[in-house]
Amino acid sequence: MLELRLVQGSLLKKVLESIKDLVNDANFDCSSTGFSLQAMDSSHVALVSLLLRSEGFEHYRCDRNLSMGMNLGNMSKMLKCAGNDDIITIKADDGGDTVTFMFESPTQDKIADFEMKLMDIDSEHLGIPDAEYHSIVRMPSSEFQRICKDLSTIGDTVVISVTKEGVKFSTAGDIGTANIVLRQNTTVDKPEDAIVIEMNEPVSLSFALRYMNSFTKATPLSDTVTISLSSELPVVVEYKVAEMGYIRYYLAPKIEE
Amino acid sequence: GPRQSTITKFFDKA
């Protein structure tokens, strides 16, 4: 038996909007740690890892570890029927073939049950090793979204380079080239507006902008985004989900042949 | 131009 009650139901709505265009079907795993998901896009270029810790739920009951295969498009359709202020409860029976989403209005005068069919999904779980990253950039998520959107009007690939000078986002296309440089800036009124560049070693990597733009669907979840880069590894683009967890996107680099 | 690599090149099956 599984019963997870999330007072801030809008978080789950935003989480689905952040992953449904990248991944069609995925297994949600439920354990005493929390509600999690790991899935790759169909071409295995990007991987998304979601964790919503059990402590973040008002009520968290998960008697046995449970893996529930869901079509994310269908799940998104159902969650769109929840109001932004609604409390969302996820319910499922061990071995059952459905999951129920219950939406309660804040004043408790409207209660809705949406039951969704589960599916069998054959997914491979990858081990993500802990890594020391060469450079880590934290910036306002809206700024990162703007940069990815702007550069994708010029080119298909972004080169992200971190040096002593700052972090540079570059692209090139048929009509010309673009370079956007951000410098560290911590003298801001609000900490979420800061640009923090932690450079252990300079790094320069190329990535497909199509995927970066897809990751920025998570912008409504968090004021800040963290980009971790190492020359030997996929980039990690991380958005915190309130105090309860994170969405991490891993994107494999483009490599010169 | 550069070639797109895949995640499975970097991360192994758990």
Side-chain angles (χ1 to χ4, degrees):
Chain A
M1 165 101 193
L2 173 148
E3 199 169 286
L4 319 179
R5 190 168 199 263
L6 184 62
V7 173
Q8 209 181 335
S10 60
L11 287 179
L12 193 61
K13 287 163 68 80
K14 289 176 187 169
V15 162
L16 254 290
E17 293 314 295
S18 307
I19 54 181
K20 75 171 170 63
D21 294 338
L22 194 64
V23 178
N24 296 326
D25 305 315
N27 284 314
F28 280 89
D29 299 312
C30 202
S31 72
S32 55
T33 310
F35 193 59
S36 65
L37 170 150
Q38 190 204 80
M40 280 186 283
D41 78 298
S42 57
S43 45
H44 292 191
V45 170
L47 178 144
V48 57
S49 173
L50 163 76
L51 174 64
L52 303 176
R53 288 183 204 92
S54 51
E55 302 86 68
F57 293 83
E58 190 210 34
H59 172 71
Y60 192 94
R61 178 178 170 188
C62 176
D63 297 342
R64 283 199 294 168
N65 288 1
L66 204 59
S67 189
M68 296 184 290
M70 301 195 208
N71 175 282
L72 299 186
N74 293 342
M75 186 178 175
S76 163
K77 280 181 195 170
M78 293 206 163
L79 292 180
K80 277 187 175 164
C81 300
N84 281 330
D85 301 327
D86 282 1
I87 298 163
I88 298 181
T89 302
I90 304 169
K91 290 194 270 194
D93 291 320
D94 294 337
D97 57 4
T98 61
V99 60
T100 298
F101 303 108
M102 188 174 83
F103 310 141
E104 297 167 70
S105 68
T107 48
Q108 303 284 314
D109 54 359
K110 179 180 174 187
I111 294 170
D113 278 286
F114 286 70
E115 189 181 82
M116 190 176 80
K117 292 171 189 161
L118 295 176
M119 54 199 293
D120 284 321
I121 298 167
D122 214 10
S123 71
E124 47 187 334
H125 216 77
L126 300 183
I128 301 169
D130 282 330
E132 291 281 320
Y133 283 91
H134 291 167
S135 293
I136 299 171
V137 177
R138 180 162 67 78
M139 69 166 88
S141 57
S142 56
E143 184 64 74
F144 180 62
Q145 183 178 42
R146 177 73 198 263
I147 290 170
C148 292
K149 182 169 159 279
D150 288 349
L151 292 186
S152 61
T153 65
I154 313 289
D156 300 327
T157 302
V158 59
V159 180
I160 306 179
S161 309
V162 184
T163 63
K164 289 201 304 290
E165 319 304 322
V167 55
K168 184 167 78 169
F169 301 86
S170 308
T171 195
D174 293 340
I175 64 165
T177 62
N179 295 292
I180 300 170
V181 177
L182 298 183
R183 293 211 178 110
Q184 170 146 304
N185 179 12
T186 53
T187 55
V188 288
D189 292 339
K190 290 181 285 180
E192 59 267 30
D193 290 336
I195 298 167
V196 182
I197 301 168
E198 192 186 309
M199 190 197 75
N200 301 314
E201 275 183 60
V203 63
S204 182
L205 285 161
S206 299
F207 301 102
L209 274 165
R210 186 166 70 83
Y211 286 95
M212 286 292 183
N213 266 316
S214 174
F215 303 164
T216 63
K217 298 256 162 66
T219 304
L221 278 168
S222 176
D223 289 332
T224 61
V225 61
T226 305
I227 302 161
S228 303
L229 299 142
S230 264
S231 48
E232 305 296 318
L233 288 172
V235 63
V236 191
V237 179
E238 176 175 326
Y239 297 84
K240 297 278 184 222
V241 181
E243 301 300 313
M244 67 186 303
Y246 57 77
I247 292 187
R248 289 179 188 150
Y249 301 98
Y250 296 81
L251 179 58
K254 290 188 170 188
I255 297 171
E256 288 295 341
E257 291 197 81
Chain B
R3 186 179 50 83
Q4 178 65 62
S5 60
T6 59
I7 287 289
T8 43
K9 178 183 158 74
F10 300 93
F11 299 156
D12 294 328
K13 276 187 197 180

